[in-house]
């Protein structure tokens, strides 16, 4: 009869064998679905990877790399089908690869054998969509022969050392121009003026009012060169930009006074 020590030793050995056998189950024998329809979505350098299908009894982990680095994990063991990868694609001039691993959070399956799907490569500098600029202010000179338009280009998620956000103009630098398209109010004829800064000056005629909008351009691009157009703004006619408002206000005041006298 074996002693108690021998029985315990035998049970420990059997348990160890069972554990080792279980840990060697390859992931291919588990019913995973690999990701498909993998796409990049990027606006003003905020970049998200999306895919399908929704996971059931498993999770996803996203891995990103550029041409100079190893894979970096994002959205580890996620049940979602999208992942914000903005913080790992900060060098906007690099090209990035993506793969999405289907896996289970467990020690029972060999991690190296988890199935994965490769997505398309992505270049933030070439492919991010440029959003809508805004016209921050505009002002005539004293002679009303020039109109200065101040543009605010879309901000990105990336920051300067002082923690302020960089704009798309800051990132593209000399490769980016702002164009103001303008016309006399009531006219269909359109002119344009460009600037590599956020300040654009256009020539005007005294007494005329103007309507204009702004568009950004990445000059080196062959596709997706243009930003969305800003909302259109119009100046007032007359000797200064507020004259139209003053005239309108005076007219309303006069009408109200006449109405009051008539009621009396």
């Amino acid at each position: 009869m074996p002693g108690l020590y021998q029985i315990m030793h035998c049970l420990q050995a059997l348990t160890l064998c069972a554990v080792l056998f279980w840990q060697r189950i390859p992931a291919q024998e588990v019913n995973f679905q690999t990701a498909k329809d993998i796409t990049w979505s990027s606006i003003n350098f905020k970049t998200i990877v999306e895919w399908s299908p929704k996971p059931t009894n498993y999770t996803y982990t996203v891995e990103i790399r550029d041409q100079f680095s190893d894979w970096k994990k994002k959205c580890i063991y996620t049940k979602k089908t999208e992942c914000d990868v903005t913080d790992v694609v900060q060098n906007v001039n690099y090209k990035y690869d993506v793969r999405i691993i289907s896996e289970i959070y467990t020690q029972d399956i060999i991690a190296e054998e988890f199935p994965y799907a490769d997505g398309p490569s992505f270049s933030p500098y070439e492919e991010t969509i440029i959003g809508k600029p805004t016209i921050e202010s505009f002002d005539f000179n004293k002679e009303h022969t020039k109109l200065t338009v101040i543009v605010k280009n879309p901000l990105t998620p990336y920051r300067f050392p002082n923690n302020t956000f960089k704009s798309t103009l800051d990132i593209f630098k000399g490769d980016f121009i702002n164009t103001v398209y303008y016309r006399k109010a009531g006219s269909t004829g359109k002119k344009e003026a460009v600037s590599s800064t956020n300040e654009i000056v256009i020539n005007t005629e005294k007494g005329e009012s103007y309507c204009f909008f702004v568009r950004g351009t990445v000059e080196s691009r062959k596709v997706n060169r243009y930003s969305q157009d800003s909302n259109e703004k119009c100046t007032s006619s007359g000797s200064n930009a507020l004259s139209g408002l003053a005239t309108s206000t005076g007219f309303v005041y006069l009408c109200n006074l006449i109405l009051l006298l008539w009621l009396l």
Side-chain angles (χ1 to χ4, degrees), residues 65-190:
R65 72 175 177 187
D66 59 52
Q67 64 264 45
F68 304 110
S69 66
D70 294 329
W71 293 104
K72 296 178 181 178
K73 293 182 181 292
K74 284 289 295 182
C75 302
I76 301 171
Y77 301 125
T78 181
K79 299 287 283 187
K80 299 179 180 179
T81 55
E82 66 175 35
C83 180
D84 189 335
V85 297
T86 303
D87 62 331
V88 292
V89 296
Q90 290 197 42
N91 193 321
V92 300
N93 294 291
Y94 287 176
K95 181 171 285 188
Y96 294 87
D97 298 318
V98 61
R99 68 184 183 189
I100 300 175
I101 305 170
S102 303
E103 59 186 346
I104 293 176
Y105 181 59
T106 178
Q107 299 298 320
D108 298 334
I109 299 176
I110 303 171
E112 288 79 7
E113 297 185 24
F114 283 125
Y116 64 87
D118 290 311
S121 60
F122 175 74
S123 172
Y125 193 95
E126 296 293 335
E127 298 180 63
T128 195
I129 294 172
I130 310 303
K132 179 187 293 188
T134 56
I135 297 170
E136 198 164 42
S137 64
F138 53 90
D139 189 34
F140 284 106
N141 65 354
K142 290 182 180 180
E143 295 78 18
H144 275 242
T145 56
K146 294 185 183 297
L147 178 69
T148 301
V149 180
I150 305 299
V151 180
K152 184 176 181 180
N153 294 106
L155 296 179
T156 74
Y158 304 132
R159 298 174 184 262
F160 288 106
N162 65 2
N163 215 35
T164 59
F165 288 102
K166 296 180 180 181
S167 71
T168 50
L169 178 63
D170 295 321
I171 290 182
F172 287 112
K173 297 180 180 177
D175 194 22
F176 191 89
I177 59 171
N178 283 308
T179 304
V180 60
Y181 297 89
Y182 64 100
R183 58 183 173 81
K184 292 180 182 179
S187 170
T188 57
K190 186 170 62 176

Side-chain angles (χ1 to χ4, degrees), residues 3-14:
L4 180 61
Y5 174 79
Q6 287 84 357
I7 293 174
M8 293 295 295
H9 182 74
C10 182
L11 287 174
Q12 289 176 348
L14 289 172

Side-chain angles (χ1 to χ4, degrees), residues 15 18 22-23 31 34 36 40 62 94-96 100 105 130 149 156 181-182 192 195 214-216 224 229 238 242:
T15 301
W22 178 252
Q23 287 182 336
N31 187 26
T34 53
K36 58 184 180 180
W40 297 80
V62 178
Y94 287 176
K95 181 171 285 188
Y96 294 87
I100 300 175
Y105 181 59
I130 310 303
V149 180
T156 74
Y181 297 89
Y182 64 100
E192 61 185 71
S195 174
V214 176
R215 179 187 299 161
N224 292 331
D229 293 343
L242 296 178

Side-chain angles (χ1 to χ4, degrees), residues 189-223:
K190 186 170 62 176
K191 297 181 180 181
E192 61 185 71
V194 302
S195 174
S196 58
T197 70
N198 69 331
E199 182 177 303
I200 313 169
V201 179
I202 63 178
N203 296 318
T204 59
E205 296 178 18
K206 189 172 183 178
E208 294 286 350
S209 59
Y210 290 84
C211 294
F212 51 90
F213 66 89
V214 176
R215 179 187 299 161
T217 304
V218 183
E219 294 188 286
S220 66
R221 285 187 177 183
K222 295 181 179 179
V223 296

